Amino acid sequence: MTESCFDPLIHAHNRLQICALLENIAEMEFSLVKTQLEVSDSVLSKHVKALEQAGYLRVNKRTSFARQRTWLSLTVQGEAAYRGHVAALRKIVGL
């Protein structure tokens, strides 16, 4: 069972969505996350940086077809923090 712990860093709307998108997959390309969240590059970059600095997100830049692409994935710490945050939210709303 995941320990419930409200995390104000993850609670920000866009950061919560980023974690939700990445929870059950190995990684997702930055541009796809941007499309899913319907935000600009700069808005997504700001949230990615905050999650990365907290150790919740891994950023991997790779070159593909002569173009650099950025891939995002949750770290083990990030997955645990996200699941704990969701458990805390469920507790708050009585689920």
Side-chain angles (χ1 to χ4, degrees):
M1 179 81 184
T2 301
E3 182 182 336
S4 65
C5 182
F6 187 88
D7 190 322
L9 179 71
I10 291 176
H11 192 67
H13 176 71
N14 286 325
R15 291 184 207 141
L16 186 59
Q17 285 187 292
I18 292 166
C19 292
L21 283 171
L22 298 174
E23 178 190 18
N24 292 314
I25 61 170
E27 62 184 357
M28 186 180 284
E29 190 178 0
F30 182 95
S31 62
L32 183 54
V33 175
K34 182 182 89 162
T35 300
Q36 291 292 316
L37 270 59
E38 298 178 340
V39 297
S40 66
D41 285 354
S42 62
V43 168
L44 182 55
S45 291
K46 176 183 169 187
H47 292 296
V48 164
K49 184 176 181 179
L51 290 167
E52 183 181 27
Q53 287 177 336
Y56 292 174
L57 195 69
R58 185 173 8 283
V59 177
N60 187 3
K61 296 182 185 266
R62 297 193 297 261
T63 302
S64 176
F65 300 105
R67 186 170 161 226
Q68 186 170 350
R69 296 177 186 262
T70 301
W71 295 84
L72 308 174
S73 59
L74 284 179
T75 63
V76 171
Q77 180 184 353
E79 286 180 29
Y82 171 70
R83 289 186 180 138
H85 185 74
V86 169
L89 293 175
R90 286 188 172 133
K91 207 174 203 181
I92 289 168
V93 297
L95 294 177

